[in-house]
Amino acid sequence: MKKYDAFISYRKSTAAYADLVYFSLVAEGISKQRVFQDKHNIGSEQFDEKIKKAIEESNSLVLIVSKDCFVKKNDDDWFLKEIKVALDNNIPIIPILFDSVNSLTDPNIIQSLKDNFTSKDVSYLIRQQYVRYDSDYSQSSLEKACTFVRQVLENEKLSWKEKMFKNVKLVASVSLIMLSCFC
């Protein structure tokens, strides 16, 4: 079992959003000790190693997405490094879109992703189920994000046999639907 249920990845400029997500996860019943946010979990010492290890020990990476968040800020851009560590370790990524970002398929976001990640990684990122934060529906937006984290946790708890059975059931259901459409 991994140490953290969620690792919150954010730019310093979106720290208020990260706090909002952190406290929502905790309010929804995920223990504070199981949610990693750098300012709650570490100081400045050994930052690089602790961040990398925390991501590797997380069941999911909750990604705070804002308008220009994927634009590389410097050569030691930890926001982009965190995403790469999650991708390299097959950690599920849950994007939460803020600041009027409507989709990861926005042309400006796609270009920034292409500038920083492989085409395979970009393809993976843009296919992730995301939550669009709406300030008018703040509570339901954040509850949806918590639901996504819980879904990842539930999936992690399944054995490989249960996952295989779940996939076989899905394929069988799709096959039956397709057959009924053609008959």
Side-chain angles (χ1 to χ4, degrees):
M1 184 166 145
K2 293 192 175 187
K3 185 174 183 177
Y4 302 106
D5 294 334
F7 179 103
I8 301 174
S9 182
Y10 64 100
R11 291 257 180 225
K12 295 301 177 204
S13 61
T14 60
Y17 297 144
D19 287 341
L20 188 62
V21 170
Y22 174 86
F23 289 114
S24 294
L25 290 168
V26 171
E28 288 290 319
I30 297 175
S31 165
K32 282 197 263 189
Q33 291 76 24
R34 306 262 323 142
V35 180
F36 186 95
Q37 184 182 4
D38 59 358
K39 74 181 196 176
H40 295 288
N41 296 80
I42 61 172
S44 59
E45 73 286 342
Q46 300 171 328
F47 181 84
D48 298 8
E49 297 104 34
K50 286 186 177 185
I51 290 291
K52 186 175 184 289
K53 186 172 187 208
I55 295 168
E56 292 168 349
E57 293 178 343
S58 295
N59 288 307
S60 66
L61 183 124
V62 177
L63 187 62
I64 307 299
V65 178
S66 61
K67 197 169 179 83
D68 295 322
C69 70
F70 298 111
V71 175
K72 190 174 188 177
K73 305 294 184 202
N74 56 48
D75 288 338
D76 196 33
D77 191 319
W78 265 98
F79 178 75
L80 298 175
K81 284 182 181 181
E82 289 169 0
I83 298 166
K84 187 66 178 147
V85 170
L87 291 166
D88 290 346
N89 288 280
N90 298 312
I91 308 292
I93 296 175
I94 304 167
I96 304 179
L97 313 182
F98 288 90
D99 292 339
S100 303
V101 174
N102 292 316
S103 167
L104 291 178
T105 58
D106 173 275
N108 293 327
I109 289 178
I110 292 284
Q111 187 55 54
S112 294
L113 289 170
K114 286 181 178 179
D115 290 345
N116 295 296
F117 299 100
T118 66
S119 57
K120 178 183 171 194
D121 290 345
V122 171
S123 177
Y124 170 81
L125 286 167
I126 64 174
R127 287 184 286 115
Q128 294 313 292
Q129 190 171 17
Y130 60 85
V131 176
R132 187 178 307 120
Y133 178 82
D134 184 336
S135 59
D136 292 335
Y137 302 99
S138 175
Q139 177 93 20
S140 61
S141 297
L142 295 168
E143 285 172 359
K144 189 175 182 181
C146 294
T147 299
F148 286 177
V149 170
R150 280 198 187 91
Q151 286 173 345
V152 167
L153 296 176
E154 287 304 312
N155 198 36
E156 287 298 314
K157 291 177 185 174
L158 296 176
S159 70
W160 70 270
K161 289 179 184 177
E162 292 169 316
K163 288 178 188 177
M164 181 67 76
F165 182 69
K166 188 176 174 182
N167 288 336
V168 168
K169 281 183 11 182
L170 178 64
V171 169
S173 298
V174 170
S175 298
L176 285 173
I177 291 169
M178 291 179 69
L179 278 172
S180 66
C181 289
F182 293 111
C183 293

